[in-house]
C-alpha cells in the first residue's frame, strides 16, 4: 500500500466533517503524477504507479484512509454563507512526510458530498491541470502553497457550459483548515467546537502558540504574520489569487484554492482577470487589504477564547490586527530590496522601489521581464538597452536607472554577486496566462499533453536561463492575450 495514514482531523467530533466515500468513475488514468512530491511524502512510487490512478481518483480506498468532507463557512465576495464545506473534495487522510510534517491528501473532484448543494461534485480536466501547473510553479518560486500530487482523468464527462473531460486533482496541504472553518463554528455559537479547532490547529501548525498565556491570541498573531508574508510574496511575483474569499484562505499560510488566479504581464495594480470579480475586489493591488479584512473575520471568531470580557477581547484582537500593515510593509520592502539587489537598508528604498513600479505602470512594462532585466543590468550596464525597450517611455527607465546605480554605489555587494542573488529571486519564467491557456486547450481539446508537460518543466525551474525555451518568458502577442480567467467550477 502506498500510504501510511494517521487521520487527526477525522478524530475531531462528528460535527467537524461528514464521512463520505468518493464516487467511483469509469476509467481512471494518470494525466500527471508528481514523482518528486510522492517521494517527499514517503510514498511507495512503484505501488503508486501501479494502483495509484484508482486510488487517487477515489475508486479504491487504500487501507487506513478514512475519507471525509470538511465543514466550513465563508464570506464570498463579502457575503457571509454559513455553510459551504467540501462540496467536491474529499480528504482521504493525512500522512507524515519524510521531514516529519503532517500533510493532507485531498481529492478534488471526487464526487458529491453532503456539502455539494446543487453542484455535481466534479472537476473538469482543464481547471485541474491549471491548479497543478500554477501551484507547482508557486512552490518553485518559494511561495507557500498547497501542492499537486496528481491529476487523474475520470473517463467521464462533466457538464459545464458544454461537456468537458472530467478529472480528479490530488491536492496536498499542511492543513485544509480555512478562515471559513472557524467561521462555521462561530456562526453556530459553538464555542466548544472553536476551542477544539484552535487546539487542533495549534498542535498541527503553530506549536509555539501552545505555551502562550492566551493561545487563541498567539494563534491570531502567528496567522497574521504568515498571511502578511504570503501576500507580500504574491506581489513580488505578480500573482493575483482571484478569489480571496475567507473560505479560500488557509490558516496554514499556504496559497490555496487555485481558481481564476493568474500572473500579470504588464504591471498595473488594478489588474483583475477573474470573470466573476466584476468590481475588482480581488485586484492585484487590493490583496493586502483583503487579507487584512479576512483576518479580521478570523479574529472575530476567536473573541470568545481571548478574554472573558468581550471589550477586552476586542481590544486585544484589534491590536494584533493593527500589526498587519506594518508586518506586510516590512515583508514587502525586504522582498523588494532583494529584487533590486540591495543587501543593505536605507530610508529611501521604499521610494526607489515604488518609483520603479510607477514608471513601469505608466510605461506598461512587463513585470517579470523588467525585474529579470535588472539582474543583467546589475552585472553590466550594456544590458540597459534591452531593459529600456520594455518601457513605452524609455527615458523614464533611464532616469530611474541613474538613481538605482547611485544607490548601488552605497551597497557593498560586488556586481557578479549582486546579479546572482537577483537572479535567484527574480524569475525568468512564470506560468503566463496565454501559455497556460494554450497548454490546457491542447490537453482538453486534442488530448495532447506535450505543451502542458513542457510548460510544467519550464515553470518548476523558474530562475534558470534557458535560451532554447525563451518563448515561455515573453509576454503574449496581441492575439494571444488572455483577458479573463474562470473558476471552472
Ligand atoms: P470554490 O469556488 O472552489 O472555492 O468553491 C466554493 C464552494 O462551492 C465550496 O463549498 C465548494 O465545495 C463548492 N463547489 C464548487 N464547485 C462545486 C461542484 N462542482 N460541486 C459541488 N460543490 C462545488
Ligand atoms: Mg474554495
Amino acid at each position: 500500500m502506498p500510504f501510511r495514514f494517521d487521520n487527526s482531523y477525522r478524530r475531531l467530533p462528528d460535527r467537524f466533517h461528514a464521512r463520505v466515500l468518493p464516487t467511483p468513475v469509469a476509467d481512471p488514468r494518470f494525466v500527471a503524477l508528481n514523482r518528486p512530491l510522492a517521494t517527499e511524502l514517503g510514498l511507495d512510487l512503484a505501488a503508486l504507479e501501479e494502483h495509484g490512478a484508482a486510488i487517487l481518483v477515489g475508486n479504491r480506498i487504500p487501507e487506513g484512509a478514512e475519507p471525509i468532507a470538511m465543514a466550513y463557512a465563508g464570506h464570498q465576495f463579502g457575503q457571509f454563507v454559513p455553510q459551504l464545506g467540501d462540496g467536491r473534495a474529499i480528504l482521504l487522510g493525512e500522512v507524515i512526510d519524510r521531514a516529519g510534517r503532517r500533510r493532507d491528501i485531498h481529492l478534488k473532484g471526487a464526487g458529491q458530498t453532503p456539502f455539494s448543494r446543487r453542484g455535481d461534485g466534479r472537476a473538469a480536466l482543464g481547471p485541474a491541470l491549471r491548479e497543478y501547473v500554477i501551484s507547482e510553479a508557486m512552490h518553485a518560486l518559494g511561495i507557500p502553497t498547497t501542492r499537486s500530487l496528481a491529476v487523474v482523468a475520470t473517463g467521464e464527462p462533466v457538464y459545464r457550459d458544454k461537456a468537458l473531460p472530467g478529472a480528479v486533482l490530488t491536492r496536498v496541504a499542511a492543513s485544509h483548515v480555512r478562515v471559513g472553518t472557524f467561521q462555521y463554528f462561530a456562526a453556530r455559537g459553538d464555542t466548544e467546537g472553536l476551542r477544539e479547532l484552535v487546539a487542533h490547529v495549534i498542535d498541527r501548525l503553530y506549536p509555539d502558540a501552545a505555551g502562550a498565556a492566551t493561545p487563541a491570541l498567539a494563534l491570531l498573531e502567528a496567522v497574521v504574520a504568515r498571511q502578511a508574508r504570503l501576500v507580500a510574496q504574491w506581489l513580488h511575483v505578480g500573482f493575483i489569487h482571484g478569489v480571496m474569499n475567507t473560505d479560500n484562505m488557509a490558516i496554514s499560510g499556504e496559497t490555496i484554492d487555485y481558481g481564476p488566479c493568474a500572473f500579470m504581464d504588464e504591471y498595473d495594480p488594478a489588474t483583475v482577470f477573474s470573470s466573476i470579480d466584476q468590481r475588482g475586489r480581488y485586484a492585484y493591488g487590493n490583496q493586502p487589504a483583503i487579507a487584512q479584512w479576512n483576518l479580521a473575520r478570523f479574529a472575530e471568531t476567536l473573541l470568545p477564547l481571548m478574554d472573558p470580557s468581550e471589550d477586552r477581547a476586542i481590544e486585544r484582537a484589534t491590536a494584533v490586527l493593527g500589526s498587519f500593515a506594518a508586518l506586510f510593509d516590512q515583508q514587502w520592502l525586504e522582498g523588494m530590496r532583494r529584487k533590486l539587489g540591495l543587501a543593505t537598508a536605507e530610508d529611501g528604498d521604499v521610494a526607489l522601489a515604488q518609483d520603479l513600479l510607477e514608471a513601469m505602470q505608466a510605461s506598461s512594462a512587463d513585470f517579470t521581464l523588467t525585474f529579470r532585466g535588472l539582474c543583467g543590468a546589475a552585472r553590466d550596464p550594456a544590458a540597459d538597452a534591452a531593459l529600456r525597450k520594455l518601457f513605452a517611455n524609455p527615458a523614464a527607465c533611464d532616469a530611474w536607472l541613474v538613481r538605482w546605480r547611485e544607490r548601488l554605489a552605497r551597497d557593498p555587494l560586488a556586481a557578479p554577486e549582486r546579479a546572482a542573488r537577483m537572479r535567484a529571486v527574480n524569475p525568468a519564467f512564470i506560468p503566463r496566462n496565454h501559455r497556460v491557456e494554450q497548454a490546457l486547450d491542447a490537453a482538453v481539446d486534442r488530448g495532447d499533453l506535450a505543451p502542458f508537460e513542457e510548460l510544467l518543466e519550464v515553470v518548476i525551474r523558474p530562475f534558470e536561463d534557458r535560451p532554447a525555451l525563451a518563448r515561455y518568458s515573453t509576454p503574449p502577442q496581441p492575439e494571444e492575450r488572455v483577458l479573463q480567467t474562470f473558476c471552472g467550477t
Side-chain angles (χ1 to χ4, degrees), residues 70 72-73 76 83-89 108-109 111-113 115-123 160 171 178 243 245 247-248 257-260 276 487-489:
M70 291 166 70
Y72 56 85
Q76 298 189 306
Q83 181 167 310
L84 290 165
D86 287 331
R88 57 158 173 169
K108 188 168 175 179
Q112 287 179 318
T113 77
F115 303 110
S116 296
R117 291 167 292 160
R118 284 185 298 278
D120 61 1
R122 291 298 182 191
R160 297 297 179 253
R171 179 161 69 184
R178 306 143 191 271
V243 213
N245 293 335
D247 53 304
N248 293 339
D257 273 5
Y258 291 84
I276 56 171
C487 302
T489 60

Side-chain angles (χ1 to χ4, degrees), residues 406-425:
E406 284 167 8
R407 172 69 181 86
L408 295 187
R410 297 191 299 275
D411 198 82
L413 291 178
E417 165 72 7
R418 184 185 326 278
R421 289 193 190 189
M422 289 173 71
R423 287 149 54 89
V425 295

